Amino acid sequence: YHYSLWSFDEPFKLLDWRAVNYFASLTREVLGPTSIQPGRFQAGSADASPQIAFRADVSRPMWQGSVANGLVDALYLSDQAYRVPRLVQNLGSRMPATLYNYGHTNGIDESNWRTVAWCLDAYLHGFEGVLPWQSIAGPRALTEPMQNALIIDGGDHGLAIASLRLHALREGAQLVELLRLLQASRGWSRNQIAALVHQHLPRDPRIDRPRSPKTPLAAARELEAGDFLQLKLTVLQLLDQASRAGARP
């Protein structure tokens, strides 16, 4: 803030938001009233209109109010959003905007299941995805632990080596997709899905604890692989029941 009157990244002053809104309004002028919401892009669509969404990275949604309503399509919010879940959900529906949670995966000295829990937490709180911090590292990460080394350029050993934490993100995304299918097949709300998840996984509402990511499920003291496995089995059984019921004459 010593080199500019405003900040586009993590805006919190009114002047910041006016700067963001200026470019958002220019995007609206180009797209017109038919802008495409994130998550609704259709590859190969016959629609020749530009498929562009305007994004803003916000750390403090509780200070935003209605300043960007009708202008921003996608909001990337920090873990502070978990402290005010109703405000954030209302924000997303009022703007309207698709919500994503940015943050970081579990520490290298923590269980990788915390990253899986992060994906679940994000979905249960109305987010459509997670975005980790810087994720690329060089060959040195093969022998030295690095927090941001999710994908490693290992040189002769491989140009894109996936870390276990990257596999954990994939596990979390696949588990969320099963929950999406269950929600659609049963007609449940995300709150009902959350009630099912919380039957299997412990949570800790004190998200200021020194663990990462700082979300209710990921902050739990104990995360066991068997709990996640049992949750997946339960979801698969419920999906199978729904499929059988739908196939009956």
Side-chain angles (χ1 to χ4, degrees), residues 100-170:
Y100 299 89
N101 179 207
Y102 72 80
H104 51 82
T105 58
N106 59 277
I108 54 178
D109 58 341
E110 297 177 316
S111 170
N112 292 322
W113 289 106
R114 298 199 185 283
T115 293
V116 180
W118 177 29
C119 297
L120 294 178
D121 263 326
Y123 174 69
L124 298 181
H125 284 78
F127 293 103
E128 301 305 323
V130 299
L131 175 68
W133 290 111
Q134 299 291 337
S135 56
I136 307 297
R140 198 177 69 179
L142 294 175
T143 56
E144 298 180 21
M146 296 183 180
Q147 176 63 38
N148 293 329
L150 302 184
I151 302 174
I152 302 171
D153 179 356
D156 294 338
H157 299 287
L159 297 180
I161 301 175
S163 68
L164 291 177
R165 285 173 295 163
L166 187 64
H167 286 286
L169 283 169
R170 182 186 64 181

Side-chain angles (χ1 to χ4, degrees), residues 2-14:
H2 299 290
Y3 53 85
S4 174
L5 293 177
W6 56 77
S7 172
F8 295 111
D9 183 35
E10 301 183 347
F12 70 98
K13 297 180 298 185
L14 180 58

Side-chain angles (χ1 to χ4, degrees), residues 48-235:
S49 61
Q51 298 193 31
I52 298 174
F54 191 89
R55 158 185 169 175
D57 290 11
V58 183
S59 282
R60 307 164 186 87
M62 64 287 291
W63 296 354
Q64 180 177 333
S66 59
V67 68
N69 285 8
L71 292 173
V72 176
D73 300 307
L75 283 181
Y76 283 75
L77 305 178
S78 73
D79 290 345
Q80 290 194 34
Y82 292 95
R83 300 178 183 274
V84 286
R86 291 186 180 181
L87 182 149
V88 169
Q89 292 170 14
N90 178 267
L91 184 67
S93 60
R94 188 181 69 241
M95 292 185 64
T98 304
L99 306 179
Y100 299 89
N101 179 207
Y102 72 80
H104 51 82
T105 58
N106 59 277
I108 54 178
D109 58 341
E110 297 177 316
S111 170
N112 292 322
W113 289 106
R114 298 199 185 283
T115 293
V116 180
W118 177 29
C119 297
L120 294 178
D121 263 326
Y123 174 69
L124 298 181
H125 284 78
F127 293 103
E128 301 305 323
V130 299
L131 175 68
W133 290 111
Q134 299 291 337
S135 56
I136 307 297
R140 198 177 69 179
L142 294 175
T143 56
E144 298 180 21
M146 296 183 180
Q147 176 63 38
N148 293 329
L150 302 184
I151 302 174
I152 302 171
D153 179 356
D156 294 338
H157 299 287
L159 297 180
I161 301 175
S163 68
L164 291 177
R165 285 173 295 163
L166 187 64
H167 286 286
L169 283 169
R170 182 186 64 181
E171 177 70 21
Q174 291 176 341
L175 187 50
V176 166
E177 286 305 310
L178 289 178
L179 294 176
R180 284 184 184 276
L181 289 174
L182 181 61
Q183 183 179 355
S185 66
R186 296 275 177 159
W188 288 355
S189 67
R190 290 206 189 183
N191 287 337
Q192 290 172 306
I193 294 293
L196 172 67
V197 172
H198 294 154
Q199 290 178 14
H200 296 275
L201 299 178
R203 55 179 173 161
D204 189 341
R206 298 169 295 173
I207 58 176
D208 57 344
R209 299 178 69 89
R211 300 193 181 97
S212 58
K214 296 184 182 300
T215 66
L217 286 175
R221 183 176 298 278
E222 299 295 338
L223 289 173
E224 300 291 342
D227 295 333
F228 288 90
L229 176 59
Q230 188 57 52
L231 172 62
K232 180 180 288 189
L233 289 175
T234 299
V235 173

